[in-house]
Amino acid sequence: MKYSGFIVVFKLYIFGSVASEFDPIVHIHEGFIRGTTLSSIRSNLTFFAFMGIPYARPPIGELRFKAPQPADSWSGVRNATVEGPSCPQINPISQTYFGEEDCLFINVFSPKILSETDTASTAVMVWIHGGGYILGSGDRTVYGPDFLVDEQVVVVTFNYRLGVLGFLSLQNKEVPGNNGMKDQVLALKWVRNNIVKFGGDPDNITIFGESAGASSVHYHLLSPMSSRLFHRAISESGSALNPWAYQTPDASVKLAFLLGEEFGVKTTDPLQVLQVLRAAEPERLVVFIFTALLLPEVGALTGPTLDTKAVSGEVFLPDTPINLINAGKFLKIPYIIGVNNEEGILATPIIKPFSWLLRHVVNVFELALPFYAGQKIPKAHDMAVEVKNKYFNNSRPLVLQYIDVITDFFFINGVYCTAQRQATHSSPVFSYEFSFDGTANVFKKLAGGTGFPGACHADDIPYLFRVEILKVNLKPGTPEYLTSVRMTKLWANFAKTGYPTPQPDPVLQNVSWKPISKSNFPSLSIDTDLKMKHGLNNGHAEWWMKLYSKYIPDASPCWPFYSMFDVNQ
C-alpha cells in the first residue's frame, strides 16, 4: 500500500504492539509515528495528539553540554501516544529529583489531519514553557491544549534542557553556552519541517511562552539562529531585559568553576572542569544549582548568556539583549507582550516568614537598594530614597508594598521597556495587563497569596491551558470561563492574522486592541471586562524609566536591569 505521508488508518505493528485501526498515523521526515485521539474538555470535540516525538538525539555521554543534534530516523512505526520524560529537575513542592537526560521530545495537537489533496492552512502555535530555566516541561499535566485547539489552531509543546545541563557556559568553543536555547531552535526547525504533515501551516507559526518561556520568546526575536523559523510572537510575563532572564558571561564561568569544586576539581583549566562535569550524575548537577542560587558570588539564575565563542552558525546571542534592541537588531514581526498586575505575589513564601522584619528593612531600604540596583550607580543612596518614598509611604499593608516593588522591578519594568523600544522600529507591538482575579488563579493559591488582590505570576496559564495536575475546572457561564474564552480567542486571532482583534466581536466586547506607537502606549486590560488603558501598572514603569534617566545619565533609554548581577561591579 502507498503511504500518503499524512494519515493512514489501518492496523500496523507498532514497535511490537498492535495499533487500533482508528489511530492516526503520520509520516514525518524521521519516520512513521502513531498518535491517538483526545476529546476537548470544553467542547467535547475530538482532536489528534502525537506525543513524545524525539526532535533531537539524546544529549547524553559526549553530547552532554553540546549543541543539540537532529534526531535519527527510525524504521517501522513509532508509538507517539504518550509524552516523553521531563528533563532533570527538582520538584519545587516535594523537593524531590525527577527526569531523564534523554528528554528532548515534542508534542503536536491538531484539530484535523489533512488528506493528500488538502492544502495546509491551519495556524500553528508553539508553546515554550516557563520555570526559571530550571523547571518545567511541555506536558499536558499543566499545558493541556484543549482550549486553543478549540479555536482551530495546531498547538505544539516541547521540552528543552534545563539548569546546568542546558545552560552551562565555559565561554569557550567547547561549551560556549545556551544549549537549552539551541534545543528550542532545533524544535522550531522540526516544526517548520514537519508541521504540514499535521495540518499546520509552516508559513504561519506563532511562538508563545510564559515567564522563562516568555523571555525565551523574546530571545528568539533577538537571535540570528531563530530568524525565518516563526512569524509572530507572544511573551507572557517575561522579557530578555528582566534581571532573572540573563546571566553575565563572568557569572556563568564562575558558576561552572564552583560546580567543578563541588566535584573535587579546583582548577583554572576549563577542560578539566568539563571532563568531571561530563561524567557526573545528573542528579548532583541539578541539586547543586538549587544550592548555588543562594550564593551571591554566582549572580543570576542559570540561563541565557553571550555565546560568542561558539562555532560559526551556532552563536545564539551575539550581544547583550539591550544592545541588540537599541541597535534594532531583532526580528520585526507582530508581537504581543504583557504582564500580570501582581506578579510579585509569587514571592509570598519568602516574604511572609519574615514579615516581622519588613518594617525594619524599610527603615534601611536606602542602604539595601544599591545592592539590587547596581553598585556603579552614582548617588545610588538618593535613588533608593526615592524608591522608598514611592512604595512605602502609604496605608496599604506592608507585604503588599513589597509585592509591588518585586512586581515592578523584576517583571513589569523589563516588559515595558521591551515593548516601548521595539515599537519604535515600525513592527506592531501589542501590550496587555492581566488583572483578572478568579477561582482559577491557582498559582496565587500555591504561593500562599490567597486574599491578596490581583493576578499572581502564572495566574494567566489556567485560562489558556487545561491545567490537569491542579484540577482546574472552568464552569460555563462563570466569569472564569468567559475570561478563558476571551483570552484563547485573542491569542488565536493573533496567531491567524497578526492582530488580536481583527474585527469587532461581541465575545470580545467589540474592543479594538491597538498597537503601541512612538507617542502612545495603549494596553489591553484583561479583567472581568476588556478595556483599553494607557501604560502598565498605573504608570509605575514610566516612573522607573524617568528615575533611571535621572540617576544614570549615560544609560540608554532602557537601562539593562540585569546589570545588577554583573560580578565585576
Side-chain angles (χ1 to χ4, degrees):
M1 175 178 290
K2 177 184 176 182
Y3 299 121
S4 68
F6 292 91
I7 182 171
V8 185
V9 285
F10 58 90
K11 290 185 178 180
L12 286 174
Y13 282 91
I14 313 296
F15 286 172
S17 64
V18 179
S20 163
E21 60 183 327
F22 300 107
D23 286 337
I25 297 177
V26 165
H27 189 195
I28 61 175
H29 282 280
E30 294 79 14
F32 285 96
I33 56 173
R34 166 202 170 205
T36 188
T37 56
L38 301 173
S39 294
S40 168
I41 191 175
R42 173 178 291 171
S43 67
N44 205 35
L45 294 175
T46 296
F47 61 93
F48 298 94
F50 300 84
M51 299 171 286
I53 310 166
Y55 69 86
R57 292 177 63 192
I60 58 178
E62 289 301 310
L63 293 184
R64 180 189 279 185
F65 306 131
K66 285 185 177 289
Q69 304 297 312
D72 296 326
S73 59
W74 54 80
S75 59
V77 182
R78 185 183 181 94
N79 183 22
T81 62
V82 293
E83 292 153 329
S86 301
C87 293
Q89 58 192 277
I90 299 291
N91 184 311
I93 297 176
S94 66
Q95 298 293 301
T96 56
Y97 169 85
F98 71 99
E100 299 178 18
E101 278 195 85
D102 183 4
C103 62
L104 300 184
F105 297 99
I106 198 164
N107 314 302
V108 182
F109 308 96
S110 178
K112 62 180 180 180
I113 300 293
L114 302 182
S115 69
E116 199 169 9
T117 58
D118 287 336
T119 301
S121 59
T122 305
V124 181
M125 300 188 71
V126 182
W127 175 255
I128 304 177
H129 73 78
Y133 297 107
I134 57 175
L135 302 170
S137 75
D139 287 3
R140 285 187 300 137
T141 53
V142 178
Y143 305 114
D146 306 42
F147 307 157
L148 288 165
V149 174
D150 281 346
E151 294 294 332
Q152 297 301 299
V153 296
V154 176
V155 176
V156 179
T157 64
F158 63 92
N159 301 339
Y160 56 92
R161 280 175 286 179
L162 305 167
V164 169
L165 292 166
F167 294 94
L168 181 76
S169 174
L170 293 170
Q171 292 295 314
N172 58 17
K173 65 180 182 179
E174 285 79 15
V175 187
N178 293 334
N179 287 326
M181 301 306 299
K182 293 168 186 178
D183 293 344
Q184 296 180 16
V185 171
L186 187 58
L188 292 175
K189 289 180 179 179
W190 186 97
V191 172
R192 181 192 60 187
N193 294 336
N194 285 301
I195 205 63
V196 68
K197 307 297 180 66
F198 302 92
D201 186 351
D203 295 320
N204 189 5
I205 295 172
T206 296
I207 61 173
F208 68 133
E210 185 269 343
S211 192
S215 57
S216 293
V217 167
H218 188 210
Y219 274 114
H220 290 298
L221 291 173
L222 304 175
S223 174
M225 289 187 70
S226 308
S227 62
R228 297 186 297 276
L229 294 179
F230 59 98
H231 311 89
R232 323 190 204 287
I234 304 173
S235 288
E236 304 170 28
S237 302
S239 155
L241 294 185
N242 288 135
W244 44 263
Y246 174 79
Q247 188 180 54
T248 64
D250 286 342
S252 67
V253 173
K254 183 178 287 290
L255 175 63
F257 280 98
L258 282 173
L259 191 53
E261 290 182 22
E262 174 74 8
F263 288 88
V265 178
K266 191 168 185 177
T267 178
T268 58
D269 184 354
L271 295 183
Q272 286 186 3
V273 172
L274 176 59
Q275 183 178 16
V276 70
L277 296 186
R278 185 163 279 155
E281 287 294 321
E283 182 172 356
R284 288 188 65 188
L285 296 173
V286 171
V287 169
F288 175 82
I289 283 299
F290 279 79
T291 304
L293 298 183
L294 302 176
L295 300 176
E297 64 267 32
V298 171
L301 305 181
T302 181
T305 187
L306 299 186
D307 58 348
T308 54
K309 300 297 178 61
V311 299
S312 178
E314 291 188 4
V315 175
F316 179 82
L317 191 64
D319 202 346
T320 62
I322 189 63
N323 286 347
L324 294 170
I325 292 171
N326 287 338
K329 295 180 179 180
F330 57 86
L331 194 58
K332 298 171 182 64
I333 58 174
Y335 186 32
I336 291 176
I337 183 168
V339 293
N340 295 353
N341 71 323
E342 294 291 352
E343 303 270 7
I345 293 176
L346 181 73
T348 301
I350 301 173
I351 296 174
K352 271 190 172 181
F354 301 100
S355 58
W356 60 278
L357 277 175
L358 295 184
R359 179 62 61 187
H360 301 289
V361 174
V362 169
N363 291 334
V364 294
F365 190 73
E366 60 268 31
L367 301 179
L369 185 66
F371 171 76
Y372 296 105
Q375 297 288 352
K376 285 185 176 179
I377 302 174
K379 298 184 178 180
H381 172 89
D382 294 342
M383 178 181 173
V385 171
E386 289 205 35
V387 175
K388 174 183 173 181
N389 292 337
K390 172 74 172 178
Y391 286 89
F392 297 103
N393 282 349
N394 61 58
S395 59
R396 298 177 71 225
L398 190 58
V399 171
L400 296 183
Q401 295 175 47
Y402 271 97
I403 286 172
D404 284 347
V405 175
I406 293 168
T407 295
D408 292 346
F409 195 81
F410 286 95
F411 295 97
I412 290 182
N413 290 354
V415 167
Y416 176 87
C417 191
T418 297
Q420 181 199 53
R421 293 297 295 161
Q422 294 193 193
T424 65
H425 289 273
S426 72
S427 56
V429 178
F430 301 88
S431 169
Y432 76 89
E433 184 174 312
F434 179 85
S435 52
F436 181 73
D437 188 357
T439 59
N441 290 44
V442 291
F443 289 92
K444 178 164 67 174
K445 297 176 184 177
L446 288 176
T450 303
F452 294 163
C456 173
H457 189 65
D459 268 350
D460 52 323
I461 288 176
Y463 299 95
L464 288 170
F465 292 97
R466 176 185 179 183
V467 184
E468 295 181 12
I469 193 171
L470 299 177
K471 307 298 180 186
V472 177
N473 185 14
L474 304 176
K475 296 181 180 179
T478 63
E480 289 81 3
Y481 182 87
L482 182 57
T483 298
S484 176
V485 169
R486 286 171 175 166
M487 285 196 71
T488 51
K489 181 176 282 291
L490 288 166
W491 267 225
N493 283 347
F494 179 76
K496 294 172 184 177
T497 70
Y499 286 87
T501 55
Q503 58 190 14
D505 186 336
V507 173
L508 303 177
Q509 299 180 290
N510 296 316
V511 70
S512 179
W513 189 353
K514 300 295 185 182
I516 301 166
S517 67
K518 292 182 180 179
S519 59
N520 193 23
F521 196 103
S523 183
L524 178 68
S525 173
I526 303 175
D527 204 331
T528 305
D529 293 308
L530 302 178
K531 59 182 179 182
M532 297 302 302
K533 64 176 191 176
H534 174 82
L536 291 176
N537 205 15
N538 299 316
H540 283 195
E542 293 167 300
W543 180 87
W544 278 92
M545 296 304 106
K546 293 176 182 177
L547 186 73
Y548 290 135
S549 297
K550 179 178 179 179
Y551 287 99
I552 317 172
D554 296 328
S556 67
C558 278
W559 187 59
F561 306 105
Y562 51 76
S563 69
M564 74 179 80
F565 294 121
D566 189 341
V567 296
N568 287 326
Q569 295 190 138

